């Protein structure tokens, strides 16, 4: 029938849609997990009913779509539920084929008069009489039996309703049972956490660490164990002690965080400072360093890495990469690929910075092999090189008119490098530079400077190109998405770049409105920053809704959900920094709570501790188990693969991880809505819709139904030269729509057809001319032999004849 059904590109989508096809002659039904039927696999679903009843292959003109079952993509267990429904439908159909009740026509006995009537018809038929009347009756009953077995259309619809009702009932029972079981487990877990925390306060944690040290010495010892235990037994006891110590440490930290909420913020501040320092000191992209290193160790490690690269052939490789990147940039500029231009420029900037740092370290090594002895001078030269390179790129960007957003980013980067250079050149006691002791600029001053720069660019009209840039990036994104997995990284980069440009556009619009009311942008910077934060949150939410509508990967949707939570928390942190860096953390919380009650409530609604960047209000210490259960985190999940296969814990975890079925959001699309009445009842959550116009292939569940036959015919007859499905085609020119706009594709088709017709006419005319010439030459030769001439018109009349 149709071509073989391809395997799904994404395993997460396999089983989420089930398609049913029916035979318009026999009412047989075939189930499929793909939109197209595989002839070889689908024929195995049909029973063997004897000769002339089993087709050799499926014909697409006799199999039409019956219904499509679509399970919601937001449901985590949709794929498992779909596969379960597909399996049950196949089993029910096989049961109908093997266990069925004969119809009255089959069970009705033939009377003597009926037999005599059939004998008379057989005698009047004439021909050979190899069969008697009883053979004719038996063959007729066999054909009736075959037709009844084939007719599965109504039973398949009833089976679908039964399967969905069964899954709905099963899901309700499973969800209630699992909820009770998880509540019991949570109660026991909270009691265990509180008991372990109390034990840790009494000193048992230190005792466990001492036992671990002693057990480690017994394992490392080459002498026989004093207690006569083998290495395997000692290793097992060591693992048990290690797990107990880890659970006790987790419980102690969790309870301590609830009792003293500043511990969480202190850890976040330390992690944030460490991340900022690492980003500042790793401009040359060295290998990841251990977070336990101090600032001095980080700087020394960075110089060692650069010294090692200076001794190798990294410079030559960077020069080659720069040549390739320059060529890529030229091609991107020629093709107008804006996203690729920004990406290549960023990589060129990083490679040039890396190459310059290696050259500075190489010169220092020639003077002194010990690079750490000249650490201060090398770092100052590296900072000066970064500033010079940034100014050079800034001047080049202004000359090439790259746009105000690119110029602004380069200006911000140059400002940071100049601040770093100033801090390095500022000595303290005994000409010893201490970066932490040099006073830094207040965050409010940097924010005001950036706002002034943005306002000046807005007044100069430097951001008028943002709409065009967004349109160009979206077109590049569409091309990259159409290429599939070959350009997955480019798709990811373009989406991030589009988000950056859209956020810049939103900030520009906010600044324009603020300048209309107050020319001094700094005087209203608090309101401007608050609106910018709100626009960032709204933009992230729009991207999340767009990702869900497009049906992207679950992993990408989860990343966007985390980005929404992070944007909410970042809005609070930025507001706290702009209100004043000198206030204490508690005062900043109170000021932030008075100014941004809405943002605080949004941040409290997030469940992830990492997504919240500030605790808005100190909560009271829980007094009951219910309060502890509401605030205590759960233990890290256990890995089922590492548990014994027949253990009770493994069985319990597998049971808790099993899918829970639900009919919420389930949609059934019908080729004819009246056919749904073959089922006695349906679950209340199931939605029934029309499938719309379809030819041989059923539409997907999320695909919108085509109710207009003109649109459907336009898609089916796309290659035809006459657009007879559009209104006004008979009155006006074919291929024009209601507004008289000619379809470019149809115009191209007509142009090709006209070209082919003209080429055919030219060929026929040439052949005809050759025939005329040969006939004329033959006639003239004969006439010359006879001494006469023949008029040309007579030759042509003979050819036409």
């Amino acid at each position: 029938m149709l071509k073989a059904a391809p395997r799904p590109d994404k395993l997460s989508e396999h089983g989420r849609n089930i398609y049913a096809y029916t035979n318009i002659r026999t009412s047989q039904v075939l189930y499929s997990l793909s939109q197209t039927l595989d002839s070889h696999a689908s024929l195995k679903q049909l029973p063997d009913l004897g000769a002339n009843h089993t087709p050799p292959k499926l014909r697409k003109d006799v199999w039409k779509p019956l219904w499509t079952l679509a399970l919601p993509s937001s449901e985590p267990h949709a794929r498992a539920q779909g596969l379960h429904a597909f399996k049950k439908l196949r089993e029910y159909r096989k049961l109908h084929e093997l266990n069925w009740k004969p119809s009255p026509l089959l069970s009705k006995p033939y009377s003597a008069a009926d037999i005599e009537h059939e004998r008379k018809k057989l005698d009047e038929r004439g021909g050979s009489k190899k069969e008697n009347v009883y053979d004719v009756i038996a063959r007729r009953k066999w054909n009736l039996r075959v037709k009844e077995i084939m007719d599965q259309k109504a039973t398949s619809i009833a089976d679908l309703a039964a399967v969905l009702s069964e899954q709905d009932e099963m899901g309700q029972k499973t969800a209630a049972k699992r909820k009770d079981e998880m509540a019991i487990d949570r109660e026991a877990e909270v009691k265990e956490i509180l008991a372990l925390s109390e034990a840790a306060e009494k000193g048992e944690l230190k005792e466990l660490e001492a036992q671990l040290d002693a057990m480690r010495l017994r394992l490392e010892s080459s002498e026989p164990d004093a207690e006569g235990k083998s290495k395997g037994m000692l290793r097992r006891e060591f693992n048990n002690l290690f797990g107990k110590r880890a659970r006790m440490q987790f419980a102690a930290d969790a309870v301590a965080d609830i009792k003293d909420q500043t511990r969480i913020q202190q850890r976040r501040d330390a992690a944030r400072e460490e991340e900022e320092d690492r980003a500042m000191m790793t401009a040359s992209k060295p290998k990841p360093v251990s977070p336990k290193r101090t600032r001095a160790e980080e700087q020394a490690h960075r110089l060692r890495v650069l010294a090692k690269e200076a001794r190798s052939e990294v410079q030559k490789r960077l020069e080659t990469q720069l040549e390739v990147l320059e060529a890529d940039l030229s091609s991107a500029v020629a093709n107008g690929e804006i996203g690729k231009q920004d990406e290549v420029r960023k990589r060129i900037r990083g490679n040039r910075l890396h190459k310059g740092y290696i050259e500075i370290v190489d010169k220092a090594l020639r003077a002194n092999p010990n690079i750490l002895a000249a650490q201060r001078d090398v770092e100052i030269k590296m900072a000066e090189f970064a500033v010079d390179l940034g100014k050079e790129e800034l001047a080049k960007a202004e000359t090439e008119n790259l746009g105000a957003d690119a110029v602004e980013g380069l200006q911000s980067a140059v400002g940071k490098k100049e601040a770093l250079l100033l801090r390095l050149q500022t000595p303290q006691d005994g000409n010893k530079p201490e970066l932490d002791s040099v006073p830094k600029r207040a965050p409010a001053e940097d924010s005001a400077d950036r706002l002034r720069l943005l306002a000046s660019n807005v007044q100069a009209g430097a951001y008028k190109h943002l709409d065009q840039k967004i349109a160009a990036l979206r077109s590049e994104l569409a091309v990259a998405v159409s290429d599939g997995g070959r350009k997955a990284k480019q798709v990811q980069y373009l989406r991030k770049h589009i988000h950056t440009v859209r956020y810049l556009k939103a900030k520009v619009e906010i600044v324009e409105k603020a300048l209309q009311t107050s020319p001094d942008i700094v005087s209203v910077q608090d309101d401007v920053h608050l609106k910018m934060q709100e626009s960032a949150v709204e933009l992230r939410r729009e991207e999340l809704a767009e990702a869900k509508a497009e049906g992207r990967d679950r992993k990408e949707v989860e990343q966007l959900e985390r980005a929404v939570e992070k944007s909410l928390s970042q809005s609070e942190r930025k507001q706290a920094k702009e209100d004043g860096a000198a206030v204490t953390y508690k005062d900043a919380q109170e000021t932030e709570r008075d100014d941004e009650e809405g943002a605080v409530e949004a941040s409290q609604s997030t469940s992830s501790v990492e997504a919240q960047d500030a605790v808005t209000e100190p909560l009271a210490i829980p007094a009951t188990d219910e309060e502890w259960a509401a605030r205590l985190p759960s233990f890290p999940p256990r890995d089922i693969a590492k548990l014994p296969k027949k253990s009770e814990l493994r069985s319990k975890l597998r049971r808790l991880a099993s899918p829970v079925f639900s009919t919420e959001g389930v949609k059934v699309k019908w080729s004819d809505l009246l056919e749904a009445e073959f089922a006695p009842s349906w679950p209340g959550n199931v939605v029934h819709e029309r499938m719309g116009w379809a030819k041989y292939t059923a539409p997907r569940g999320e695909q919108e139904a085509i109710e207009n036959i003109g649109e459907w015919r336009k898609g089916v007859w796309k290659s035809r030269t006459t657009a007879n499905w559009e209104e006004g085609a008979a009155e006006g020119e074919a291929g024009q729509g209601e507004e008289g706009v000619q379809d470019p594709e149809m115009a191209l088709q007509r142009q090709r057809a006209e070209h082919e017709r003209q080429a055919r006419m030219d060929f026929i005319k040439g052949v005809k001319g050759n025939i005329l010439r040969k006939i004329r030459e033959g006639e003239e030769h004969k006439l010359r032999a006879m001494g006469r001439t023949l008029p040309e018109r007579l030759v042509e009349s003979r050819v036409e004849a």
Side-chain angles (χ1 to χ4, degrees), residues 8 18 20 114 196 201 215 415 427 467 470 489 590 760 788:
I18 301 177
D114 295 334
L196 290 175
E201 293 178 356
M215 189 65 67
D467 291 331
I470 292 174
K489 292 184 178 179
E590 295 175 356
R760 192 181 303 109
R788 292 183 296 174

Side-chain angles (χ1 to χ4, degrees), residues 272-497:
R272 189 180 305 113
E273 292 178 359
E274 181 181 352
E275 183 179 355
E276 292 175 356
D277 295 342
R278 186 160 56 249
M280 184 183 300
M281 299 302 295
T282 57
S284 59
K285 299 181 181 179
K287 294 181 180 179
V289 295
S290 175
K292 297 181 181 180
R293 293 193 183 107
T294 61
R295 186 188 297 273
E297 292 175 347
E298 290 282 356
Q299 296 170 353
H301 175 75
R302 180 191 182 196
L303 289 179
R304 291 193 194 97
V305 171
L306 290 173
K308 184 177 180 181
E309 292 178 348
R311 297 187 186 97
S312 60
E313 297 182 354
V314 177
Q315 293 181 356
K316 296 181 180 179
R317 187 166 66 250
L318 289 175
E319 291 176 356
T320 306
Q321 291 179 2
L322 283 172
E323 293 177 358
V324 175
L325 290 173
E326 290 290 348
D328 292 344
L329 180 60
S330 301
S331 63
V333 171
N335 297 331
E337 299 175 353
I338 299 177
K340 188 175 182 181
Q341 293 177 28
D342 297 338
E343 181 183 4
V344 174
R345 285 194 179 97
K346 186 177 180 180
R347 293 176 61 186
I348 290 174
R349 190 180 307 119
N351 285 2
R352 290 185 64 187
L353 196 64
H354 192 183
K355 183 172 175 290
Y357 285 170
I358 293 176
E359 292 176 354
I360 293 172
V361 172
D362 190 14
K363 292 180 181 179
L365 286 174
R366 294 175 184 176
N368 189 355
N370 186 9
I371 190 65
L372 298 181
Q375 178 176 352
R376 178 190 174 188
D377 297 334
V378 172
E379 290 181 353
I380 290 175
K381 291 180 180 179
M382 290 166 61
E384 291 176 350
F385 173 77
V387 171
D388 296 338
L389 182 61
K391 291 181 179 179
E392 179 184 346
E393 293 177 348
L394 179 60
K396 185 177 181 181
E398 293 175 350
T399 304
E400 296 179 355
N401 295 326
L402 296 182
D405 49 349
V407 174
E408 183 180 351
L410 290 173
Q411 287 176 348
S412 177
V414 171
K416 291 180 181 179
K417 296 297 182 183
E418 289 178 347
L420 177 61
L421 178 60
L422 180 61
R423 293 170 62 189
L424 289 170
Q425 291 176 346
T426 304
Q428 208 185 1
D429 299 334
N431 294 332
K432 293 180 180 179
E434 293 292 340
L435 298 182
D436 295 335
S437 62
V438 179
K440 302 179 182 179
R441 295 188 67 190
E445 297 178 4
D446 292 337
S447 177
D449 291 343
R450 289 195 298 269
L451 200 56
R452 289 192 191 96
L453 178 61
L454 182 61
S456 63
N457 290 334
V458 169
Q459 291 174 346
Y463 296 106
K464 294 181 179 179
H465 67 291
L466 290 181
D467 291 331
Q468 300 176 356
K469 188 170 184 178
I470 292 174
L473 289 173
R474 286 190 181 278
S475 62
E476 290 185 32
L477 178 62
V479 174
V481 170
S482 63
D483 290 344
R486 292 178 294 177
K487 294 187 177 181
K489 292 184 178 179
Q490 186 178 357
V491 170
Q492 185 178 8
Y493 173 78
L494 287 173
R495 282 177 179 156
K496 291 182 179 178
H497 198 12

Side-chain angles (χ1 to χ4, degrees), residues 169-181 660-661:
E169 183 180 358
M170 185 191 310
Q172 293 178 2
K173 291 182 179 179
T174 306
K177 185 177 180 181
R178 184 166 302 176
K179 184 178 180 181
D180 297 338
E181 187 174 2
V660 178
F661 298 153

Side-chain angles (χ1 to χ4, degrees), residues 295 387 409 420 437 480 498 508 536 584 648 686 783 790:
R295 186 188 297 273
V387 171
L420 177 61
S437 62
I498 290 173
V508 168
T584 60
E648 182 179 355
V686 178
L783 291 174
L790 183 66

